[in-house]
Amino acid sequence: MTTTIPSTMTGVYLPGTSSTERREVPVPTPGPGQVLVQVGASGICGSDIGYIYRGYKTHKGVDGPAYRGVVSGHEPSGRIVAAGDGVRRFGVGDRVIVYHIAGCGLCDNCRRGFYISCSSEARAAYGWQRDGGNASYVLAEERTCVPLPDELSYVDGALIACGFGTAYEGLRRTRVSGEGDLLVVGLGPVGLAAGMLGRGMGARRVVGLEPSTGRRSWAEGLGVFDATFHPEELSAAMDLTGGRGYAFTIDASGTAPGRSSALDGAAEWGHVSLVGEGGELVTEVSDTLLHKQLTLHASWVTSLPAMTELAENLVSWGLRPEAIVSDRFALEDSDDAFALAAGASDGKVVFVADGDV
């Protein structure tokens, strides 16, 4: 398959003023070990909003502001249209998800597949320290590419690249299974992903807590939650378990009250997963943690092998991440897309290639 590659493209930048800038930039040429990916879809992440869109903030492992004035977007998927010297696993025409951190590949964390926790100064995140996916093309290191199964769309791939990967890792650590019920706290995109994945992983019952009426309604329409409640109705959610609580809980809200709900909703010997960024964990220790014999898990995104496993499992489970997408935009509508993602969107907001909106 031959593709004519233009010399320039539009890239979306974030000046940190709750706005976007679209600039015409050169289309990059892949060097050794690199591929050029024609972007089919690219998601907007909550971390883009909190750490970049509204104003530049520091982030773990980064000296100074995390965003370095590059093309934004760390959730791209698409098709490889050019490959540099030494590329061996992938080739032109392959459909891929781009894992959103380019790690050194040599430190202990990278060798485990957790590029997100790379300890080298060479670590660079797409859309943060190197050009990302909110453009027509993205230059990617071959080692950061994950195969995108033919059964999944580019939008599916974009969601796997971050949000679904984050939820999957959090649930893997709790070992969700049909032996217990799952409580999901916070029904934004990551919480919706957790609900869908919990269903695929066999949770006996999947229940959500979310203060937004619109988000609860959107979640209920997905067909993966058995029930959703306002956080103030935690006691009603507990009644569904006969008052015993949930064997597995996951907080995707990133708030102190949300984390408290995840702890309070957990059953004795339960497993609690924390994946929401920011805020604090405030808890009474004895009755809430010790006497219930709880196990707490904290995870940050997922690994390359687990992301590959996730894509394959989604096909096996017959699940499509794009079901949680509430709004699709073209790049030229970046102002509207980011404003919605930062405001009243019910589900996930994504950019899609021209003609696919």
Side-chain angles (χ1 to χ4, degrees):
M1 182 182 298
T2 301
T3 299
T4 301
I5 302 173
S7 59
T8 64
M9 63 180 182
T10 299
V12 176
Y13 292 76
L14 300 176
T17 57
S18 296
S19 63
T20 71
E21 292 181 2
R22 292 178 298 279
R23 305 176 192 169
E24 197 71 9
V25 296
V27 174
T29 299
Q34 297 179 327
V35 295
L36 182 66
V37 178
Q38 185 174 21
V39 178
S42 181
I44 297 177
C45 179
S47 63
D48 293 332
I49 303 299
Y51 286 89
I52 307 176
Y53 178 71
R54 293 190 177 120
Y56 303 157
K57 297 180 182 179
T58 58
H59 205 283
K60 179 182 181 296
V62 178
D63 182 19
Y67 179 62
R68 299 294 167 81
V70 297
V71 175
S72 62
H74 62 267
E75 301 183 354
S77 75
R79 182 174 62 89
I80 294 175
V81 293
D85 293 340
V87 170
R88 292 174 293 180
R89 179 173 182 182
F90 296 98
V92 173
D94 287 345
R95 304 168 76 247
V96 296
I97 303 162
V98 180
Y99 184 90
H100 58 275
I101 306 292
C104 68
L106 298 174
C107 68
D108 287 345
N109 284 323
C110 282
R111 289 168 68 86
R112 292 185 178 98
F114 284 94
Y115 283 11
I116 183 69
S117 295
C118 174
S119 58
S120 169
E121 293 182 358
R123 177 191 186 278
Y126 294 95
W128 295 68
Q129 295 91 40
R130 62 179 290 164
D131 286 336
N134 291 341
S136 299
Y137 298 88
V138 60
L139 182 67
E141 305 301 319
E142 182 190 23
R143 65 180 182 274
T144 64
C145 291
V146 171
L148 176 63
D150 290 338
E151 295 87 348
L152 300 179
S153 69
Y154 291 132
V155 172
D156 291 326
L159 271 59
I160 293 168
C162 182
F164 269 73
T166 296
Y168 186 58
E169 186 67 28
L171 294 178
R172 287 174 79 242
R173 306 235 182 139
T174 66
R175 298 184 179 178
V176 168
S177 70
E179 296 182 0
D181 301 326
L182 169 66
L183 179 68
V184 180
V185 182
L187 300 182
V190 174
L192 295 176
M196 183 179 290
L197 293 174
R199 180 67 67 196
M201 297 168 81
R204 191 165 53 201
R205 182 185 285 114
V206 181
V207 175
L209 294 183
E210 168 58 47
S212 166
T213 301
R215 284 194 162 181
R216 287 200 307 276
S217 178
W218 182 263
E220 290 166 359
L222 295 177
V224 297
F225 289 91
D226 293 285
T228 64
F229 298 91
H230 191 283
E232 294 177 353
E233 302 173 307
L234 177 59
S235 60
M238 296 288 279
D239 288 342
L240 295 180
T241 69
R244 294 183 299 274
Y246 291 79
F248 317 104
T249 73
I250 183 169
D251 174 67
S253 73
T255 67
R259 291 174 180 133
S260 294
S261 294
L263 294 172
D264 293 340
E268 283 190 313
W269 299 98
H271 289 258
V272 179
S273 183
L274 306 177
V275 298
E277 288 268 15
E280 297 180 336
L281 173 64
V282 180
T283 182
E284 183 277 332
V285 174
S286 294
D287 289 340
T288 303
L289 302 180
L290 303 185
H291 300 169
K292 288 169 67 174
Q293 305 273 15
L294 296 186
T295 301
L296 272 60
H297 306 265
S299 65
W300 193 25
V301 194
T302 192
S303 66
L304 278 159
M307 189 172 285
T308 302
E309 173 186 285
L310 169 58
E312 295 170 349
N313 282 341
L314 285 166
V315 174
S316 299
W317 297 333
L319 296 175
R320 298 293 300 277
E322 67 176 12
I324 77 166
V325 172
S326 56
D327 302 277
R328 304 177 185 222
F329 289 88
L331 289 175
E332 55 262 32
D333 298 317
S334 60
D335 286 338
D336 293 337
F338 268 91
L340 185 62
S345 63
D346 291 329
K348 181 74 170 181
V349 180
V350 298
F351 290 112
V352 294
D354 293 345
D356 292 334
V357 178

